[in-house]
């Protein structure tokens, strides 16, 4: 009699085989999970980088009302449109297109962010602010109430008031006094904040003296009547600011409006210098002043340089 169990086959599965299969599946799962997480992180980082580049300004410097300074300039069509409508204003005191265009051209060529200092709150104030898109534009005016009123109407405008101490009737006397003090209080290179020169403006906010201005426009204060302050102080101060720059572009463009008047012409010839006059039409003079060494005690290199025509050759 045969044992009924003699044909029975016994199959045993070793625990190691089960563990080995389970281990392979775990490794596969971990591998897939790793690449999935890596892909997601890469996607998130890429989207954040694109968003940052798209929305972030080109510089962290801010202007009035938190406006960013720096960035691309205005399109040419926008600039030309602004100039066109500004020059067609019905106000009798507005600048003509031939006056606006040279200033606009300098602003367009100025490296961003451009530092633009303007003496006088005028009909063109909003135009200058707009043309110097993403730049720093500061306005100085003789009337503190008007400056405050203008800032209230236009919070994006950065305006300060100054108390002028000069009179048009004293022009020649003040120029002579400044030339006599050229090695002391009226030096061509200095920080006017600490100066006692009668033609130097020393009561502006500290940061105005620290900025390396690329462009300065003198269109104020009032220049009419013997008791008016005239523009001797802004002209002298602009020359010192330009020669005393610590960095940035070594050249500063200075525009003097109403240059046909005696005060503007006398002061401009003495402190901005005829040799620096690069363009001059009936009412607007364009000077380019270069930075000077601290131990310089001469406003003009050539005091005998005379202009024989109403226009000087244009240069930059």
């Amino acid at each position: 009699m045969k044992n009924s169990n003699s044909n029975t086959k016994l199959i045993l599965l070793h625990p190691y085989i089960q563990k080995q299969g389970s281990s392979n599946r775990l490794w596969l799962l971990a591998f897939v999970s790793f690449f999935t997480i890596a892909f997601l992180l890469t996607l998130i980082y890429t989207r954040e980088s694109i968003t940052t580049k798209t929305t972030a300004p080109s510089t962290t410097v801010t202007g009035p009302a938190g406006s960013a300074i720096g960035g691309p300039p205005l399109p040419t069509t926008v600039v030309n449109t602004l100039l066109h409508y500004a020059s067609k204003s019905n106000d009798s005191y507005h600048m003509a297109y031939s006056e606006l265009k040279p200033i606009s051209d300098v602003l367009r060529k100025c490296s961003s962010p451009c530092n633009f200092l303007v003496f006088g709150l005028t009909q063109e104030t909003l135009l200058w602010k707009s043309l110097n898109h993403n730049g720093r534009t500061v306005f100085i005016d003789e009337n503190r109430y008007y400056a405050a009123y203008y800032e209230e109407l236009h919070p994006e405008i950065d305006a300060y008031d100054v108390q002028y101490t000069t009179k048009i009737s004293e022009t020649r006397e003040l120029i002579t006094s400044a030339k006599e003090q050229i090695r002391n209080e009226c030096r061509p290179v200095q920080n006017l904040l600490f100066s006692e020169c009668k033609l130097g403006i020393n009561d502006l906010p500290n940061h105005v003296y620290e900025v390396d201005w690329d462009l300065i426009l003198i269109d104020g204060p009032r220049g009419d009547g013997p008791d008016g302050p005239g523009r001797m102080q802004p002209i002298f101060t602009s020359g010192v600011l330009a020669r005393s720059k610590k960095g940035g572009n070594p050249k500063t463009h200075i525009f003097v409006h109403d240059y046909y008047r005696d005060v503007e012409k006398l002061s401009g010839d003495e402190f901005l210098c005829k040799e620096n006059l690069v363009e001059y039409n009936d009412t607007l003079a364009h000077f380019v002043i270069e930075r000077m060494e601290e131990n310089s005690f001469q406003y003009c290199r050539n005091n005998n340089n005379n202009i024989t025509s109403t226009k000087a050759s244009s240069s930059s």
Side-chain angles (χ1 to χ4, degrees), residues 59-64 67-71 107 110-118 128-129 131-139 156 158 160 207-208 210-216:
T59 178
T60 56
V61 181
T62 57
S67 58
I69 296 177
L107 283 171
C110 185
S111 299
S112 182
C114 188
N115 297 319
F116 186 16
L117 179 63
V118 182
W128 302 137
K129 175 64 178 177
L131 291 179
N132 193 24
H133 182 61
N134 289 325
R136 177 191 283 107
T137 306
V138 173
F139 297 90
E156 73 278 11
D158 193 7
Y160 302 96
H207 71 271
V208 173
E210 298 170 356
V211 173
D212 295 317
W213 300 105
D214 299 295
L215 172 61
I216 301 176

Side-chain angles (χ1 to χ4, degrees), residues 37-244:
I37 294 173
F39 173 78
L40 290 174
L41 290 175
T42 302
L43 180 62
I44 294 172
Y45 177 79
T46 303
R47 291 183 62 184
E48 289 180 348
S49 298
I50 294 174
T51 303
T52 302
K53 290 179 180 179
T54 303
T55 60
S58 59
T59 178
T60 56
V61 181
T62 57
S67 58
I69 296 177
L74 286 175
T76 303
T77 52
V78 175
V79 172
N80 291 337
T81 301
L82 290 172
L83 292 177
H84 171 77
Y85 284 107
S87 64
K88 300 299 180 182
S89 170
N90 292 327
D91 193 289
S92 58
Y93 296 102
H94 74 273
M95 282 188 178
Y97 181 85
S98 60
E99 299 168 311
L100 300 172
K101 187 64 164 59
I103 302 171
S104 171
D105 289 344
V106 172
L107 283 171
R108 291 175 63 184
K109 296 176 183 177
C110 185
S111 299
S112 182
C114 188
N115 297 319
F116 186 16
L117 179 63
V118 182
F119 287 92
L121 287 169
T122 66
Q123 299 298 323
E124 291 77 32
T125 294
L126 295 180
L127 174 68
W128 302 137
K129 175 64 178 177
S130 300
L131 291 179
N132 193 24
H133 182 61
N134 289 325
R136 177 191 283 107
T137 306
V138 173
F139 297 90
I140 308 297
D141 196 78
E142 61 181 306
N143 190 325
R144 68 169 58 187
Y145 301 106
Y146 186 58
Y149 170 74
Y150 210 97
E151 279 193 313
E152 185 177 352
L153 283 180
H154 307 282
E156 73 278 11
I157 295 297
D158 193 7
Y160 302 96
D161 67 277
V162 62
Q163 186 69 39
Y164 291 106
T165 59
T166 56
K167 291 184 179 181
I168 292 177
S169 58
E170 303 170 345
T171 299
R172 294 185 182 275
E173 178 185 342
L174 289 168
I175 290 176
T176 300
S177 174
K179 293 171 69 175
E180 292 173 351
Q181 295 292 319
I182 195 170
R183 289 185 171 272
N184 297 304
E185 295 298 332
C186 299
R187 300 185 305 278
V189 180
Q190 61 170 309
N191 187 338
L192 286 172
L193 185 63
F194 308 105
S195 175
E196 295 298 327
C197 181
K198 293 181 180 179
L199 285 182
I201 301 175
N202 61 4
D203 58 348
L204 295 173
N206 292 10
H207 71 271
V208 173
Y209 302 99
E210 298 170 356
V211 173
D212 295 317
W213 300 105
D214 299 295
L215 172 61
I216 301 176
L217 170 62
I218 300 167
D219 199 12
R222 291 170 292 117
D224 54 339
D227 293 330
R231 297 176 182 174
M232 303 84 77
Q233 280 188 291
I235 289 174
F236 176 85
T237 298
S238 297
V240 172
L241 290 173
R243 296 181 177 98
S244 305

